[in-house]
Amino acid sequence: MTTAQETERAADSALSNPSAVGLVAVIVAATDGEPRALTVQVGGQARGRSDGLPAGPLVPEHPTLERGLRAWVERQTHQRLGYVEQLYTFGDRDRQGDDGGGLHSLSVAYLALVRELRPAGLAEAAWRNWYHYLPWEDWRAGRPNSLGEIEAKLLAWAECAGDPKQRRRREDRLGLTFGLCGGAWNEERVLERYELLFEAGLIPEAQGQSGEAHDADLTVTGQPMALDHRRVLATAIGRLRGKIKYRPVVFELMPPTFTLFQLQRTVEALSGTNLHKQNFRRLVAQQGLVEETDGVTSGATGRPARLVRFRREVLLERPAPGFRLRPARRPA
Amino acid sequence: MTTAQETERAADSALSNPSAVGLVAVIVAATDGEPRALTVQVGGQARGRSDGLPAGPLVPEHPTLERGLRAWVERQTHQRLGYVEQLYTFGDRDRQGDDGGGLHSLSVAYLALVRELRPAGLAEAAWRNWYHYLPWEDWRAGRPNSLGEIEAKLLAWAECAGDPKQRRRREDRLGLTFGLCGGAWNEERVLERYELLFEAGLIPEAQGQSGEAHDADLTVTGQPMALDHRRVLATAIGRLRGKIKYRPVVFELMPPTFTLFQLQRTVEALSGTNLHKQNFRRLVAQQGLVEETDGVTSGATGRPARLVRFRREVLLERPAPGFRLRPARRPA
DNA sequence: GGCACAATGCTCAGTTTGAGCATAAGTGAG
DNA sequence: CTCACTTATGCTCAAACTGAGCATTGTGCC
């Protein structure tokens, strides 16, 4: 058979092997210096409800994936989406658990940034701090305490590997993702960390039922989510943390005017690290990302801060504006 | 209706609204300092054959998307895949042309890097220089001549916009993507450039039939491809150009040992720009990306070069190794 | 007025970059 | 064998960028 014929047959085959395709959204806002994701309650039945991300099917009415997503999210959460970007397509055959049959089940995940945090339209929809689900990712108050326990369990997991080579590989991965064994913490490797924890059996979702976490887990390995939604969230956070370094997407999360410190707090919330204040403002100034307004803050303690606004023009000027995050070295 | 109920219904709905899902691969190799993609001939019938990317359906036998891709590509092109990464999921409803019905047609696109350029197993599979399809992306010999003609047509397109505001927006986009009107060329914006050309009507694929390009187009707007495969290719190139800056993926394209200049040629081939030789080697040395071997090149003219090999260890040491590309300023 | 507090201004040494000059080590021609 | 040519490799230098911290400026509060 020729390649051309194979390709033809492939196309036919695709039509006769349809798959169920869903859309998932990680909708992010940042208010009061906290990063939040919009969550819904899923699984009303016996299995117990759990947090999940807004998700829905791809229906034929939608001309494009992205528009399908917007329509769906707006109906389900009453939240209008601004910036939207495709994240990843998750598609393991047994993704949704008991799939048995021949139907693949894909989820096309999207990341959306919204400017204001409305009281989350419906009762079932709620804004949750995303570190609630991935506590080890928040280093703003220094190395999270929970990492101690996680570290111990991960090292034990590496220890009990089959052969020395596998063990060595596991240790390498620990160093690379969690900064153990002499490695450094890289705030972008959110997904790799989650998947490592998953493999190590520290993530309740791995065992099927997701609602049965001990209280301890909530502060150490975080609140579970339905299906693979925590993985999707981890993907989103990692992507966003990378993106703010070379594109001014943070502004999608800011109100029309804000102070430089509010901006810094938002960047810190997303990246999970602290930044050096003076250098941060120098960076923003150099890049020409913002322009001053007449306004200043008032009421709070301390010297009032100038209000600034995002300069849309930078999108045309600078080839790749963004924040290269330089963490403020904190006194260990 | 509650959100939970909606979500439930959504899941049911997904099952009753299946979609056809396909896989597409951009398989990249770099030999002799040229960036190449593996192409196949598609559309054997009346419409005339045209170049396309290896593609196939997602069949239920495949446990994961990526494994499905590997299996499919290896059968279709006899090319074993090494590094594979998901690119994007393309899913406009009318993507495949006359879709009319309610069935969505998605394509999950992957980028694969292969080390050696084998003679392309089958007759219908061929390695093609990717600038054959996107000639304006190759700036290694200076600004491509074809950009002159493209620029003229794009400016005319901006000119004939409906209202002044739209015209202004179009000009901004030209500056941002093609560096016209005072903007700078950013080699990563491959997809944006392609889509702009598409919108401006300079891409034959936009008109449906894809085989009927004039000879002129081949050197100016490039060789067309089947379906939206050129868009997929553009996505891949843009992604790869971005990625080599912070991850040492180039090495996936290199033979076991190579010279620093070969490495530079490969990076240049991918990025489409020229680099400053001395600074490039300083960068590679600083990053500790390679280690020397005993070998040296021989036969060629000029002083023999030391052969080096990739240091796998850097993956564990450096948080984000890669090449920040610093173009060699060429005498206009 | 004096204090606490946050915003903003400014300095300074250590690196990193961009560019280019200089030297080394092969090949082929005469 | 020597010269011309070519590519590899070493090294310099000024400019720009970074990381860290000190100093000063406005405000609300007692």
Side-chain angles (χ1 to χ4, degrees), chain A residues 175-180 182-186, chain B residues 316-317 319:
Chain A
L176 202 56
T177 58
F178 279 90
L180 307 185
W185 182 268
N186 180 334
Chain B
L316 303 172
E317 299 164 5

Side-chain angles (χ1 to χ4, degrees), chain A residues 140-209:
Chain A
R140 287 174 297 170
R143 192 166 191 276
N145 288 326
S146 58
L147 261 176
E149 198 170 327
I150 288 180
E151 176 173 349
K153 288 183 176 171
L154 285 177
L155 287 172
W157 169 74
E159 200 81 29
C160 72
D163 56 309
K165 199 173 162 191
Q166 189 192 23
R167 177 175 160 181
R168 168 71 204 208
R169 258 190 59 76
R170 285 187 178 179
E171 285 171 352
D172 284 349
R173 285 180 66 195
L174 291 184
L176 202 56
T177 58
F178 279 90
L180 307 185
C181 316
W185 182 268
N186 180 334
E187 78 276 352
E188 286 184 45
R189 310 205 171 206
V190 188
L191 180 62
E192 283 160 88
R193 280 188 284 270
Y194 178 78
E195 296 197 325
L196 192 60
L197 291 174
F198 193 96
E199 276 185 59
L202 301 181
I203 297 292
E205 285 97 318
Q207 274 79 48
Q209 302 296 49

Side-chain angles (χ1 to χ4, degrees), chain B residues 134 136-137 147 150-151 153-158 166-181 185 189-204 206-207 221 231 234:
Chain B
L134 306 160
W136 58 88
E137 293 293 342
L147 261 176
I150 289 178
E151 177 173 349
K153 287 183 177 170
L154 285 177
L155 287 173
W157 170 73
Q166 187 191 24
R167 176 174 162 183
R168 169 71 202 207
R169 260 191 56 78
R170 286 186 177 180
E171 284 170 353
D172 283 350
R173 287 180 66 196
L174 292 184
L176 202 56
T177 58
F178 279 90
L180 307 184
C181 316
W185 183 268
R189 312 206 168 204
V190 187
L191 180 62
E192 283 160 88
R193 281 189 282 269
Y194 178 77
E195 296 196 325
L196 192 60
L197 290 174
F198 193 97
E199 276 186 60
L202 301 182
I203 297 292
Q207 274 79 47
T221 60
R231 178 200 308 255

